[in-house]
Amino acid sequence: NAGVTQTPKFRILKIGQSMTLQCTQDMNHNYMYWYRQDPGMGLKLIYYSVGAGITDKGEVPNGYNVSRSTTEDFPLRLELAAPSQTSVYFCAGRDSGPLGGYTFGSGTRLTVV
Amino acid sequence: RKEVEQDPGPFNVPEGATVAFNCTYSNSASQSFFWYRQDCRKEPKLLMSVYSSGNEDGRFTAQLNRASQYISLLIRDSKLSDSATYLCVVNTNAGKSTFGDGTTLTVKP
């Protein structure tokens, strides 16, 4: 049972480049999330989705875009990468309802130089 | 004021010690509460849910105080392997949660 899978695990981008962070889950979670975590800091919500075709902004959405065409996939797009986007990115899923706990992917470490 | 606030730590304790972390939340409509553990450079993993009546899982005990709007995590007989960052998570309205910034625990021999 794979759970939540993120690719790539590591990436170095040059300023101005674009990339897509992939996230797929096989747990049939309705809710999916993208968080970023800067060194020594807490998790900040970028975007989230409560179901296929529905996405919404989190706390720090600028510079990112998402789509949710299927229940399983929730890719995060970075356009025009900036050094401020250097971070660890975590995708997560959880069941709907207040009692649902999160299952996180193993993270993508992104460096923008 | 942050929606969820945790003891900043770090907590440095010897093996075998008992240590407690607190987490306060500001939204009285919060519905469910969790503790997660995050090891260095790893993803957070669910440690335990927190129920109104309090709950225990081995050496770990979680408590919820709705009147004072805080939750706590007690770790008894600390092990070296308990060294990690502990995140408090509060589920509020549909779909969204608020994570605390975490409390770092180091258990020393």
Side-chain angles (χ1 to χ4, degrees):
Chain A
N1 196 354
V4 178
T5 302
Q6 289 184 239
T7 56
K9 292 190 183 300
F10 304 92
R11 184 72 184 269
I12 298 174
L13 279 182
K14 293 185 178 179
I15 294 172
Q17 287 185 319
S18 300
M19 76 165 293
T20 298
L21 281 66
Q22 301 292 345
C23 177
T24 188
Q25 54 104 359
D26 63 0
M27 305 177 76
N28 205 31
H29 288 311
N30 286 327
Y31 293 178
M32 293 189 76
Y33 305 81
W34 276 104
Y35 288 91
R36 61 175 285 173
Q37 187 174 36
D38 298 333
M41 305 294 285
L43 294 164
K44 293 186 178 179
L45 181 63
I46 305 171
Y47 270 96
Y48 70 105
S49 168
V50 298
I54 305 169
T55 62
D56 209 346
K57 296 178 181 179
E59 182 185 359
V60 290
N62 292 343
Y64 307 94
N65 275 300
V66 293
S67 60
R68 184 97 183 270
S69 56
T70 66
T71 299
E72 292 78 20
D73 299 307
F74 190 42
L76 177 71
R77 178 81 178 163
L78 277 72
E79 305 282 1
L80 299 174
S84 61
Q85 293 178 305
T86 294
S87 191
V88 179
Y89 292 83
F90 290 107
C91 179
R94 75 174 178 94
D95 291 331
S96 58
L99 299 180
Y102 287 81
T103 301
F104 284 86
S106 58
T108 295
R109 297 187 179 279
L110 175 67
T111 302
V112 182
V113 297
Chain B
R1 183 187 171 190
K2 292 183 178 180
E3 284 189 50
V4 174
E5 294 198 73
Q6 293 188 241
D7 290 349
F11 285 70
N12 297 305
V13 303
E15 272 188 290
T18 296
V19 61
F21 308 137
N22 289 324
C23 169
T24 59
Y25 61 95
S26 59
N27 188 341
S28 60
S30 299
Q31 297 178 315
S32 53
F33 310 87
F34 306 86
W35 284 102
Y36 281 73
R37 170 194 171 124
Q38 186 175 25
D39 293 297
C40 186
R41 301 175 72 82
K42 299 282 190 180
E43 73 274 21
K45 293 185 178 178
L46 179 64
L47 178 65
M48 57 196 303
S49 303
V50 186
Y51 302 122
S52 297
S53 56
N55 47 299
E56 188 174 303
D57 182 2
R59 297 181 293 108
F60 299 83
T61 301
Q63 296 279 350
L64 166 63
N65 185 319
R66 284 192 182 271
S68 300
Q69 295 184 197
Y70 76 85
I71 67 172
S72 64
L73 177 68
L74 181 77
I75 305 175
R76 291 181 301 277
D77 190 22
S78 300
K79 311 290 185 191
L80 295 176
S81 58
D82 293 335
S83 296
T85 297
Y86 291 84
L87 307 175
C88 164
V89 181
V90 176
N91 285 3
T92 52
N93 54 6
K96 291 176 72 173
S97 306
T98 303
F99 283 74
D101 288 341
T103 300
T104 299
L105 171 67
T106 301
V107 181
K108 301 188 178 229

